[in-house]
Amino acid sequence: MFSIDETARTFEAVAEELHDELRGTVMTDRQAVYTHGHQESVLRSHRSRTAANSAAYLLAELRPGQALLDVGCGPGTITADLAELVGPAGRVVAVDTSAQVLAQAAEYVAGRGLSNVVFEIADVHQLQYRDGEFDVVHAHQVLQHVADPVAALREMRRVAVPGGVVAARDADFAAMTWYPQLPELSDWMALCQRVSRANGGEPDAGRRLLSWARAAGFTEIESSSATWTYATPGQREWWGGLWADRVVGSDLADSAIAKGYATPADLERIADGWRRWAADPDGWFAVLHGEVLARA
Ligand SMILES: C[S@@+](CC[C@H](N)C(=O)[O-])C[C@H]1O[C@@H](n2cnc3c(N)ncnc32)[C@H](O)[C@@H]1O
């Protein structure tokens, strides 16, 4: 376990060791590769996330003193908000498969002055925690990327206390909608879907969360949806700009080229489309998410 005031260097060394231990012990036959990577253009998007804009469906369940597990915490901005809500007596364990992003999350959380968060390498398919260790187990935009989302939800349930909460929220790529309907954005969508599926994920996860939770054995499930909208000049510049950068400079871009799904010129054309969309005063984009709050 790492405390947030350990240096990122120490953190990464220990994390690599743990990662080696975990390798080969994941209890699923299928494997998945995280599609987007942790480049600046990707983290620019993830770092905009807060408990308010990404976990509103969970907030009424949170109380000071709870133990909370944040699975696939990424750069930790939602994690920090959740830690404030269960703190100061409550504790948060934040896990991810990437040592690199965990180090950045630890730095961010320390910068917020929080001392009730620890960071560990873990794969959601096989968590290194005892049964019933957490009051709340949360995963935001993670299940769309994993090899076996039903097994992942079973594992999240195992580590939740009986009667505790398992909360998951995922975008649904096919349900994203936008205007104007530029051909480059349609090509972007087709590419995201193709790469994500080839990597073992399910990009249209939002609509499936309820079915996955039922298949994992949950019987008490609240299911909801929520959206992000990008329509003002500032929102369009941010969203269009980060996708223009991501589509040419992220793991998504590398995979698309390596798998022969796109050439660098194709990706540049899609990036230009994103910039045109961002500059259009009529530009509008909505991201639909599915959400489940399931009782363990
Ligand atoms: C889209 S990011 C979401 C990060 C954060 N939850 C947020 O919403 O800002 C997905 C994160 O899940 C992590 N991840 C992918 N597969 C995982 C797995 N099997 N177990 C745990 N984390 C995983 C990735 O490394 C990545 O940081």
Side-chain angles (χ1 to χ4, degrees):
M1 210 171 263
F2 310 107
S3 72
I4 54 175
D5 50 2
E6 280 177 326
T7 63
R9 195 183 177 79
T10 309
F11 175 83
E12 289 204 17
V14 184
E16 282 308 326
E17 224 169 82
L18 274 170
H19 197 231
D20 286 346
E21 272 174 37
L22 277 169
R23 217 172 272 144
T25 62
V26 175
M27 297 180 76
T28 179
D29 292 340
R30 298 173 53 207
Q31 294 294 323
V33 173
Y34 174 50
T35 293
H36 299 287
H38 297 100
Q39 290 84 1
E40 185 281 327
S41 58
V42 178
L43 296 186
R44 206 186 305 162
S45 163
H46 297 178
R47 287 199 178 103
S48 72
R49 298 176 185 167
T50 64
N53 70 26
S54 300
Y57 71 108
L58 168 65
L59 298 186
E61 299 289 334
L62 300 181
R63 310 264 180 283
Q66 286 172 325
L68 185 148
L69 177 68
D70 192 18
V71 174
C73 66
T77 54
I78 301 173
T79 315
D81 287 355
L82 298 177
E84 278 176 355
L85 290 164
V86 300
R91 69 186 177 97
V92 171
V93 178
V95 302
D96 204 287
T97 44
S98 162
Q100 177 212 343
V101 84
L102 281 174
Q104 296 187 43
E107 197 180 332
Y108 172 77
V109 165
R112 291 261 301 251
L114 294 161
S115 56
N116 61 336
V117 188
V118 293
F119 294 91
E120 299 187 330
I121 290 274
D123 186 311
V124 66
H125 297 99
Q126 191 181 37
L127 298 166
Q128 62 268 38
Y129 307 108
R130 294 186 310 275
D131 295 1
E133 198 172 325
F134 298 95
D135 300 298
V136 180
V137 182
H138 168 256
H140 185 250
Q141 312 285 18
V142 179
L143 295 182
Q144 64 189 280
H145 298 296
V146 307
D148 190 339
V150 173
L153 279 161
R154 268 195 220 108
E155 187 64 350
M156 290 167 72
R157 181 186 194 187
R158 182 187 66 73
V159 300
V161 70
V165 172
V166 172
R169 183 179 196 257
D170 271 278
D172 192 295
F173 269 70
M176 292 182 192
T177 190
W178 59 84
Y179 185 83
Q181 287 179 333
L182 304 179
E184 294 92 336
L185 268 63
S186 302
D187 292 347
W188 162 81
M189 172 57 67
L191 188 68
C192 287
Q193 297 243 347
R194 199 171 177 197
V195 173
S196 174
R197 291 212 166 90
N199 280 340
E202 173 47 71
D204 304 340
R207 71 190 63 189
R208 290 176 165 82
L209 285 179
L210 174 62
S211 70
W212 288 344
R214 282 169 41 77
F218 290 98
T219 52
E220 217 181 304
I221 308 165
E222 281 174 44
S223 188
S224 53
S225 61
T227 57
W228 291 332
T229 308
Y230 306 106
T232 67
Q235 289 166 343
R236 285 199 315 274
E237 187 184 343
W238 178 78
W239 182 244
L242 73 85
W243 272 112
D245 291 346
R246 269 172 88 157
V247 80
V248 295
S250 68
D251 285 6
L252 173 74
D254 295 346
S255 299
I257 292 168
K259 291 175 194 303
Y261 298 164
T263 63
D266 294 331
L267 299 182
E268 286 296 348
R269 190 179 57 81
I270 293 173
D272 281 345
W274 270 112
R275 282 187 281 268
R276 258 194 5 269
W277 173 84
D280 188 334
D282 293 334
W284 186 92
F285 197 108
V287 177
L288 178 78
H289 298 90
E291 302 165 337
V292 285
L293 261 190
R295 201 62 61 185

